[in-house]
Amino acid sequence: MELNLNKSDNFVQNHKKLQEIFGDNKVKFRNEIGVDYTKRVHIVQDVDQINMVKNEQLQDILQQDIIEFHECKNLGYVLINDFKNIAFKNCKIEIFESRKSDTEIKENLTFLDCEFYSMNENIVLNSTNFKNIIFKDCIFNSSIKISGSKFENFIFENCDVNGKFIANDCIFENANFKDSHFYDIVNLKNSIFKNNVYFNNSIFNKFADFHECEFKNTASFYGVTFCQTPNFSSVSFDKKAILINMAFNSKTFDDIKRDCDEEAKNRLNDDKHTNKPEQEIYTKVYSDFRSSFALLKHTLNSSGNLIDASNHHKAELYCKEMELECSLGIKKYTAKQQNKQDMYIQRTDKQDINIIRFFKFIKFIILVLILILIWSIKSMFNIFRNTAKFILYLLLFTIFTILLYLFSTKKCAWKRKILISINKLKINNFTLWFDYMVLYLYRNTSNHHTNLNKIFNFTILMIATYGLNLLCTYNFNSFVIQQGMEAIYTILSIILIGCLAILVASNKKKIHLLSIRAIVFLSLVFTMITLPLQHISYVTFGILMYGLFTFLAFYLFMQKSKIAIIITKTVSYVILVSVLLIHPELINPTLNIFNKENMQNQLLLEEINKANYEILSNLTRLSFRDCDLKSETKFDEGSIINQREIIIANKETLENMFDLLFAPKSIDNFTGNKDDFIKTKTIVENQDIYLKIYNAIKLDKINSQTYKSTYILYILVMILCLYSLTKTARKNSVM
């Protein structure tokens, strides 16, 4: 069809002008038959470098008629503020920009199979109104920036965006972002979607920010893939959001933390946040992501999707842990913040005199406490052997030397840092630290009650750990009693405290400062208790031993190496089977162990059952502090059971008698008939059965008290494990 150029209507005149601008062979027309009338369209083909700003004739035509540009491979920078209907098909455009115009609304803007090749910006739309805008099958090599614009219909289908997609503070009546691939950041914050909006099957390779968006109608994220954690904080869904098959590639704690930290760094690099403290920025980011997961969890719960909701709840707790971690000051300073901290420390140089006085005072108090401690435990030196005494003196001297150095009056920057941190320390921080540690433990043991296999294996490991601890402790106690080395419990307790300190020091980069303070505080408490209370030092040793076993088991459980996992699980199940065969009561931590007399007298009963009538008679006399073992008093067979009951009931008295009989120079402390004492001691020392009974009494006491003390801790551990196990199992059964 040919156009009659002799006619004088506007379309014909505009067509002539286009031919003059671009050439006769490059300008055609097409009639489109609509419902009410026939539309005529100008078609411009294969042209380069259109200057629409300086060409007033072309601008007038754009405001009147429909123009399509086909197969234009080098359009360059295209700036169109006022237009009616314009389309680009299979074109290559450097930049397209449209700013606020005089027209009230721009009717149609269409891009089909177009490529935008600028490496800076591809689309710039600022504070303008559009009726219909369509992007289909387009490729963008850089950013799309839309700000403060309004769209009646916005279609963005099957497009690849290699740069950022930013559409802030916009209003979309209807929007469609189906099947598009966003390779860089997407930012739609503060935008309003009045009617339906669809993101179906789109892929977001990097951070997608939807915070403070308003979805007035259906918002469909069906089949959407987020390669990094998105931000949905403060989003409002007035109607149900479709979140079916919405996938998050960032599922683990490390992945989500990496995404959060990356967003925090981006905000730190933003000019708007340059003057804000780093800790404030990180805390705000973690809080935003936590709110985002909470919103998605609530939305999924309301639609009955419990599986995905539990995953978002898990991620919500991840972010809460990060938030607490940041609030507690675990994150390190950047170079900028570190310089500020150094300047602050330098300003404290004027306070050096007061600091030195403070450390002098602390030094004096420490020395006084050490002297009081040594004086209070001087009585225990009598039970030490020479080697143990030497080791204790050496240990005290080492502690004194370390404290002397730590609180010396020499200028030291890190001492000022310690003092500054003490001044800044708040009691409330320990509450936050406790919440942080609870989240940390639940994440590593059950993944916040979502991983049944993990919590089951951890429970098995805790049972096996306690069983192994009992085996090692009992065998060690037996060795110590047989060798007469009870004094070694104090030294070993201090060594175990040192081992825990070394473990803390070796993991100082992973352990929070408050964790170190708590461990140091508990270590000092155990040290202060262990030294003066020698008669229960074995209990302290047992508790520390169990604590060390539990710490090592937890450390091995967290290892990600396949070899470590296989070895840990194998050993755990082997020990579990052994526990089932030997001590099945350990499986049920709620058993009342304090009323089990057999536990308290197990070894003593075994030795008594081996003894003859004469030995039982002598033990009965010794139970009543009767040292005359040559007495002719006889006991018949019927009284054997009564003798056993008497011996067991008076085993403490019997132990005290054996203490005198087997202790060197004990005759000097005996107040009775010394001739009878000498005869009794000779008889007892010549028969090993008495020594075995003596050792059995002591070993029963040590094992029983150690078992009771450690069992309390074991009950607490198992209650937490069983709680997590049942809660995780219930969630999995619901799923």
Side-chain angles (χ1 to χ4, degrees):
M1 180 182 296
E2 294 185 359
L3 184 65
N4 187 355
L5 299 180
N6 295 322
K7 291 185 178 181
S8 60
D9 61 82
N10 288 336
F11 183 83
V12 173
Q13 297 301 321
N14 290 337
H15 194 79
K16 289 181 181 180
K17 293 178 182 179
L18 290 174
Q19 287 179 334
E20 293 175 1
I21 296 172
F22 299 109
D24 294 346
N25 60 335
K26 293 187 177 182
V27 179
K28 299 179 181 180
F29 79 97
R30 182 181 74 248
N31 291 330
E32 291 185 352
I33 300 176
V35 177
D36 300 326
Y37 57 90
T38 300
K39 295 187 296 184
R40 291 179 293 181
V41 180
H42 301 290
I43 300 175
V44 180
Q45 294 180 328
D46 193 21
V47 298
D48 297 334
Q49 299 295 334
I50 303 175
N51 192 334
M52 299 189 181
V53 177
K54 297 181 180 180
N55 195 321
E56 295 181 358
Q57 289 184 343
L58 182 57
Q59 290 186 45
D60 292 337
I61 297 172
L62 290 172
Q63 296 180 42
Q64 299 174 23
D65 297 337
I66 303 173
I67 300 180
E68 292 183 0
F69 292 90
H70 293 186
E71 306 293 336
C72 300
K73 301 302 181 182
N74 188 18
L75 286 181
Y77 174 55
V78 179
L79 173 60
I80 308 177
N81 291 331
D82 298 311
F83 62 87
K84 183 178 181 182
N85 292 286
I86 187 170
F88 299 88
K89 297 181 179 180
N90 197 19
C91 296
K92 287 188 177 182
I93 307 170
E94 184 179 5
I95 300 173
F96 180 87
E97 183 174 358
S98 182
R99 303 170 185 169
K100 188 174 182 179
S101 61
D102 296 332
T103 58
E104 187 172 334
I105 191 168
K106 302 169 184 180
E107 290 190 6
N108 295 290
L109 175 62
T110 303
F111 297 91
L112 302 176
D113 295 306
C114 293
E115 179 182 351
F116 296 84
Y117 57 86
S118 172
M119 300 309 295
N120 295 320
E121 294 178 346
N122 289 158
I123 301 292
V124 180
L125 306 177
N126 291 325
S127 301
T128 186
N129 300 334
F130 293 89
K131 185 174 182 180
N132 298 294
I133 185 168
I134 300 173
F135 296 90
K136 284 188 177 181
D137 303 312
C138 295
I139 298 175
F140 302 86
N141 290 322
S142 63
S143 302
I144 298 174
K145 292 186 178 180
I146 307 172
S147 178
S149 298
K150 297 180 180 179
F151 306 93
E152 287 190 15
N153 294 286
F154 187 92
I155 297 176
F156 197 89
E157 287 187 3
N158 198 29
C159 295
D160 291 343
V161 184
N162 294 301
K164 297 179 180 179
F165 185 96
I166 300 174
N168 297 334
D169 305 303
C170 296
I171 298 176
F172 299 88
E173 294 286 343
N174 298 281
N176 187 343
F177 295 88
K178 291 181 178 180
D179 302 308
S180 294
H181 198 153
F182 302 91
Y183 291 91
D184 208 326
I185 293 173
V186 174
N187 193 334
L188 294 170
K189 63 181 181 181
N190 299 317
S191 293
I192 299 174
F193 299 88
K194 291 187 175 181
N195 293 316
N196 298 343
V197 56
Y198 301 92
F199 294 89
N200 298 13
N201 302 314
S202 292
I203 300 175
F204 297 84
N205 269 39
K206 290 193 175 181
F207 178 59
D209 191 354
F210 294 90
H211 87 270
E212 296 187 24
C213 285
E214 297 182 28
F215 296 93
K216 302 294 186 180
N217 214 310
T218 301
S220 177
F221 291 87
Y222 179 87
V224 170
T225 299
F226 292 102
C227 298
Q228 288 191 6
T229 308
N231 183 7
F232 282 88
S233 63
S234 302
V235 169
S236 63
F237 293 108
D238 291 355
K239 292 189 176 181
K240 282 188 177 182
I242 300 174
L243 306 179
I244 301 172
N245 293 333
M246 185 174 68
F248 286 75
N249 288 353
S250 296
K251 298 178 181 179
T252 66
F253 177 85
D254 294 335
D255 292 338
I256 296 175
K257 191 174 190 306
R258 179 200 62 217
D259 296 342
C260 293
D261 289 347
E262 183 176 335
E263 171 60 15
K265 291 176 183 177
N266 292 334
R267 294 191 188 183
L268 285 172
N269 294 329
D270 191 352
D271 294 337
K272 297 179 181 179
H273 303 93
T274 51
N275 296 324
K276 293 185 178 180
E278 178 184 5
Q279 184 179 10
E280 180 181 340
I281 298 297
Y282 275 90
T283 303
K284 180 65 168 58
V285 170
Y286 296 143
S287 178
D288 287 346
F289 278 78
R290 176 174 58 82
S291 300
S292 173
F293 284 116
L295 176 70
L296 295 175
K297 176 194 68 176
H298 175 74
T299 304
L300 290 166
N301 274 327
S302 62
S303 62
N305 193 338
L306 300 180
I307 296 178
D308 291 339
S310 66
N311 290 329
H312 288 300
H313 176 63
K314 174 181 64 178
E316 177 189 1
L317 295 178
Y318 288 167
C319 295
K320 181 61 178 178
E321 181 182 342
M322 300 173 200
E323 186 180 347
L324 290 174
E325 183 183 43
C326 190
S327 299
L328 291 169
I330 298 178
K331 294 193 66 63
K332 294 184 177 180
Y333 291 111
T334 60
K336 178 181 177 181
Q337 296 290 337
Q338 187 64 49
N339 291 334
K340 290 183 179 179
Q341 185 71 2
D342 293 339
M343 292 175 61
Y344 176 76
I345 293 174
Q346 290 175 4
R347 288 197 298 268
T348 62
D349 288 340
K350 298 179 180 179
Q351 304 175 0
D352 279 346
I353 297 176
N354 294 331
I355 293 176
I356 291 174
R357 290 176 180 174
F358 172 79
F359 279 111
K360 281 184 177 180
F361 175 74
I362 294 296
K363 171 186 172 183
F364 173 76
I365 296 297
I366 294 294
L367 292 177
V368 171
L369 290 175
I370 290 177
L371 291 175
I372 294 174
L373 179 62
I374 294 175
W375 178 82
S376 64
I377 62 176
K378 63 179 182 179
S379 59
M380 77 177 184
F381 292 149
N382 295 328
I383 64 173
F384 277 18
R385 295 184 177 181
N386 292 332
T387 303
K389 186 186 297 185
F390 172 75
I391 294 175
L392 181 62
Y393 277 123
L394 181 62
L395 183 62
L396 291 175
F397 176 76
T398 303
I399 295 174
F400 174 78
T401 305
I402 294 173
L403 292 175
L404 186 64
Y405 169 74
L406 291 177
F407 298 100
S408 63
T409 57
K410 297 179 181 179
K411 293 183 180 180
C412 187
W414 67 268
K415 294 177 187 177
R416 293 197 296 272
K417 290 181 182 180
I418 292 176
L419 185 59
I420 293 169
S421 64
I422 292 174
N423 291 332
K424 291 183 176 180
L425 183 63
K426 298 179 181 179
I427 299 299
N428 187 46
N429 284 352
F430 286 96
T431 303
L432 298 178
W433 170 76
F434 181 78
D435 294 338
Y436 166 74
M437 291 304 299
V438 169
L439 291 173
Y440 177 81
L441 290 174
Y442 276 135
R443 172 170 63 86
N444 285 283
T445 56
S446 65
N447 215 356
H448 294 302
H449 312 303
T450 59
N451 193 326
L452 183 60
N453 179 62
K454 194 171 187 178
I455 184 57
F456 180 78
N457 286 320
F458 183 76
T459 304
I460 298 300
L461 179 61
M462 288 298 99
I463 297 174
T465 299
Y466 189 66
L468 181 62
N469 175 71
L470 286 182
L471 177 64
C472 295
T473 303
Y474 285 178
N475 289 333
F476 181 79
N477 290 339
S478 178
F479 172 77
V480 169
I481 295 301
Q482 290 177 4
Q483 300 298 323
M485 299 169 58
E486 289 87 347
I488 201 174
Y489 283 116
T490 301
I491 299 172
L492 291 177
S493 297
I494 297 175
I495 292 175
L496 286 177
I497 293 173
C499 291
L500 290 173
I502 292 173
L503 290 173
V504 171
S506 62
N507 293 274
K508 61 182 179 181
K509 294 183 179 180
K510 301 178 182 179
I511 299 179
H512 178 245
L513 181 60
L514 286 176
S515 302
I516 297 176
R517 288 171 178 162
I519 294 174
V520 170
F521 174 75
L522 292 175
S523 300
L524 291 175
V525 169
F526 272 101
T527 303
M528 298 297 291
I529 292 176
T530 300
L531 292 176
L533 301 178
Q534 290 297 304
H535 61 287
I536 60 168
S537 59
Y538 51 83
V539 177
T540 308
F541 168 77
I543 293 174
L544 289 171
M545 193 74 173
Y546 178 52
L548 184 62
F549 269 64
T550 305
F551 182 89
L552 291 176
F554 182 70
Y555 177 79
L556 291 173
F557 184 78
M558 290 194 302
Q559 298 303 306
K560 297 181 180 179
S561 171
K562 291 184 179 180
I563 297 177
I565 293 173
I566 293 173
I567 293 176
T568 303
K569 288 184 178 180
T570 302
V571 173
S572 299
Y573 280 92
V574 169
I575 298 177
L576 175 66
V577 174
S578 302
V579 168
L580 289 173
L581 298 176
I582 301 174
H583 289 289
E585 67 273 8
L586 296 182
I587 305 300
N588 185 1
T590 60
L591 289 176
N592 188 358
I593 63 169
F594 298 104
N595 292 331
K596 296 176 65 177
E597 295 183 359
N598 291 337
M599 172 65 194
Q600 301 176 7
N601 305 300
Q602 181 179 1
L603 299 176
L604 178 58
L605 285 172
E606 292 178 1
E607 296 298 332
I608 289 177
N609 292 332
K610 298 177 184 178
N612 55 31
Y613 300 150
E614 180 181 357
I615 298 297
L616 291 176
S617 299
N618 293 336
L619 290 173
T620 304
R621 292 190 182 93
L622 290 173
S623 299
F624 292 103
R625 296 183 178 273
D626 183 3
C627 294
D628 186 8
L629 301 184
K630 292 297 184 179
S631 174
E632 295 181 358
T633 305
K634 301 293 183 181
F635 295 91
D636 56 18
E637 286 189 32
S639 63
I640 294 297
I641 297 178
N642 293 332
Q643 291 182 51
R644 291 174 179 171
E645 294 177 353
I646 292 172
I647 293 170
I648 292 174
N650 296 278
K651 65 178 182 179
E652 294 183 1
T653 303
L654 190 60
E655 181 185 1
N656 293 332
M657 290 297 298
F658 280 136
D659 284 339
L660 292 172
L661 293 171
F662 288 109
K665 299 182 180 180
S666 57
I667 190 173
D668 297 333
N669 299 323
F670 186 69
T671 57
N673 190 331
K674 294 187 177 181
D675 292 335
D676 292 340
F677 178 80
I678 294 173
K679 294 177 182 179
T680 305
K681 186 173 180 180
T682 303
I683 295 173
V684 169
E685 287 181 344
N686 291 334
Q687 298 189 44
D688 292 338
I689 183 63
Y690 296 105
L691 180 60
K692 291 181 180 179
I693 291 175
Y694 176 45
N695 289 338
I697 294 174
K698 292 194 296 182
L699 196 55
D700 276 340
K701 181 176 68 173
I702 291 174
N703 288 343
S704 176
Q705 294 186 10
T706 302
Y707 181 62
K708 290 177 180 179
S709 299
T710 55
Y711 203 81
I712 293 174
L713 300 177
Y714 174 65
I715 288 175
L716 295 176
V717 172
M718 287 304 296
I719 287 176
L720 293 175
C721 289
L722 294 176
Y723 167 76
S724 297
L725 187 63
T726 54
K727 188 172 183 179
T728 308
R730 180 176 59 83
K731 282 189 175 183
N732 279 264
S733 65
V734 170
M735 294 175 190

